[in-house]
Amino acid sequence: APYSSPGSVPILAAGALVGLPAVMLLEVLASLVGDTARHQLRLETAYNSAVYGLSGVVGGSVLLVARKHGIDGYPLLGIGALAGLAYFIVNSVLAALGMAIYDRKGFLGVLREHFLWLAPHHAVSGILAAGIVPAAPPPGLRGFVVLAWPAPPTPPAPAPCPGPTDGPPPALP
């Protein structure tokens, strides 16, 4: 599906603060809960979970390395943008590949149509994640579960009630 990860900001930060295994757990949990809530739990959920998990591990590892080297302040925000872009590259390439194979379309066309416009979004998500990293104390795994938990789907709007203006206009005399 051409969607961004439901919680890429806390997922990236979790990589640096809680560890990379937690990133995979959070991404799989977010995908399962989100797809179940939307009544869309299917085989694609497993693929999306793996794509989100790998993306989160790659992006989270960028922030983890920065944290281990004591980088903070504005340089950390710049590295956060790189972490978000690393997440974006893995996520968009693998998702576009899956969509191209499934829909029997060209990979580059799918990538351009559905994903390239998300690059700035992911760079900003990485910057926001980098802003969480120096927070003291870190929220822990339970805190990241709360932050990454997908929002419930919006129920569809009810059909409009027929009113006096529905139907053909009255005939003119």
Side-chain angles (χ1 to χ4, degrees):
Y3 303 113
S4 173
S5 171
S8 59
V9 171
I11 295 296
L12 290 172
L17 295 172
V18 183
L20 298 178
V23 169
M24 184 61 82
L25 174 70
L26 290 168
E27 287 285 25
V28 169
L29 181 64
S31 293
L32 288 174
V33 169
D35 282 3
T36 300
R38 289 186 296 274
H39 305 288
Q40 296 178 347
L41 192 60
R42 324 180 287 267
L43 180 60
E44 291 88 351
T45 301
Y47 182 77
N48 290 340
S49 295
V51 168
Y52 288 146
L54 184 58
S55 304
V57 167
V58 169
S61 66
V62 173
L63 285 176
L64 178 63
V65 168
R67 182 170 179 253
K68 296 264 185 202
H69 283 76
I71 298 171
D72 59 4
Y74 291 118
L76 182 61
L77 297 179
I79 290 172
L82 294 176
L85 291 173
Y87 183 106
F88 163 75
I89 290 168
V90 173
N91 189 342
S92 60
V93 166
L94 292 176
L97 181 63
M99 289 174 66
I101 291 170
Y102 185 80
D103 295 335
R104 292 186 166 102
K105 293 183 177 179
F107 168 75
L108 290 177
V110 171
L111 186 65
R112 274 193 294 270
E113 180 180 346
H114 294 284
F115 296 99
L116 290 185
W117 63 274
L118 286 168
H121 161 82
H122 281 281
V124 171
S125 293
I127 292 169
L128 293 173
I132 295 173
V133 170
L141 182 57
R142 280 181 280 172
F144 282 110
V145 167
V146 170
L147 289 171
W149 198 262
T154 305
C161 297
T165 59
D166 291 343
L172 295 173

